[in-house]
Amino acid sequence: MIPFIKKVTILSVCLVLVQLGSTSAQAQSSVKDVTASAAAALNAERAKKGRAAVAPNKALANMAVAHARDMAKNGFFSHTSSNGGGIKQRSRAAGYRYCSINENLAKGYGDLAKVIEQWRGSPAHSKNMYSRKVREFGLARGPGNTWVLVMGRRC
């Protein structure tokens, strides 16, 4: 027979594990593909610099969603995936043969206008967002207002 204290402790640990699993699942499911709704704002921003419009691309959107889910599930914020790969490895794994590929991340900004403003003010992010080399994009928004923008051009 297990003493009462041990039963309560075991039950508490089990409940915590169930809650952690549930939280992780909720975090992953709250990742949204916002590519279509972001196209006008992103292209208006690119037009300010005389850049051509970029088209929504499902493969890039799927890559952005997958990376946002990976970060939510595994509790990190980085251009490097939980398996150690970067945007180029993720692109190859998704079957997106690129001549040019880039990625912007942001966290904590509550709406797309603020994210674009932040990227505009960052030299590296701005370079990616206004790149003449890209033709298409995908954008995801995850928990904690984590944003993943993937832009590319197929070969």
Side-chain angles (χ1 to χ4, degrees), residues 10-125:
I10 291 169
L11 180 59
S12 296
V13 169
C14 290
L15 287 174
V16 167
L17 291 174
V18 168
Q19 286 176 330
L20 287 174
S22 173
T23 302
S24 178
Q26 289 170 350
Q28 290 180 66
S29 68
S30 67
V31 174
K32 305 288 184 226
D33 174 356
V34 295
T35 305
S37 62
L42 181 60
N43 285 321
E45 185 63 32
R46 286 178 56 84
K48 292 177 187 177
K49 297 283 188 179
R51 303 301 189 260
V54 288
N57 177 276
K58 192 63 176 166
L60 296 178
N62 289 343
M63 287 171 53
V65 166
H67 190 54
R69 282 193 176 133
D70 182 28
M71 288 190 290
K73 177 183 176 188
N74 295 296
F76 71 95
F77 181 74
S78 174
H79 290 286
T80 304
S81 301
S82 62
N83 67 5
I87 184 66
K88 292 178 180 182
Q89 290 81 10
R90 290 193 300 277
S91 179
R92 283 193 286 275
Y96 185 85
R97 291 191 53 222
Y98 62 87
C99 287
S100 181
I101 192 95
N102 70 50
E103 176 181 73
N104 280 358
L105 302 180
K107 188 170 185 172
Y109 297 92
D111 61 54
L112 182 60
K114 297 243 191 268
V115 173
I116 288 174
E117 181 182 337
Q118 186 273 333
W119 286 335
R120 184 184 326 119
S122 162
H125 292 102

